[in-house]
Amino acid sequence: MATEARKLFDSVDLNQDGVLTRGELINALRLEGRQEPEDVSLTSLGFRNLDEVADLFDTSDADHNKEVTFEEFEKTLKGRRR
Ligand SMILES: [Ca+2]
Ligand SMILES: [Ca+2]
C-alpha cells in the first residue's frame, strides 16, 4: 500500500513540488482517462467524482493549510483500505 500511495501521490502532484493542492487532485481525476488501466489511480481507489476527490482533499489536509503532504495523503488512503 505504501508503494501505491507513493505512485498515486506522484501522479497527482503535477508540478512535483511535493504537496498536493485541491486543483491538482481535480485535474488528476480529469486526466485519468489517459492512464493505463493497471495503473493505480484515484478511480481504482474508489474516488470517482469531484465530490469524492474534494472530500479526499479535505479529509487528508489535517492541518488545514490547503496543501496535502505525502504523509497526510498516505494516512487517508490507509484509513480507506478495504
Ligand atoms: Ca503539487
Ligand atoms: Ca496539510
Side-chain angles (χ1 to χ4, degrees):
M1 190 60 188
T3 313
E4 280 192 357
R6 183 81 246 176
K7 270 184 166 173
L8 182 59
F9 188 91
D10 289 344
S11 72
V12 172
D13 186 15
L14 296 174
N15 66 355
Q16 304 191 318
D17 64 351
V19 292
L20 307 184
T21 61
R22 186 187 293 264
E24 282 178 329
L25 274 165
I26 289 169
N27 264 323
L29 186 70
R30 291 201 177 119
L31 293 172
E32 287 213 338
R34 295 196 206 159
Q35 289 186 327
E36 298 299 321
E38 66 265 27
D39 279 358
V40 60
S41 67
L42 290 168
T43 312
S44 71
L45 291 171
F47 304 100
R48 292 186 179 81
N49 58 48
L50 290 182
D51 279 352
E52 288 179 348
V53 169
D55 271 3
L56 167 64
F57 183 85
D58 291 338
T59 308
S60 302
D61 187 16
D63 59 1
H64 304 293
N65 67 345
K66 306 293 179 201
E67 293 173 345
V68 170
T69 61
F70 177 67
E71 199 180 32
E72 288 174 333
F73 190 69
E74 191 184 25
K75 235 176 240 175
T76 305
L77 290 189
K78 274 184 185 159
R80 275 187 69 105
R81 197 171 186 184
R82 278 158 290 198

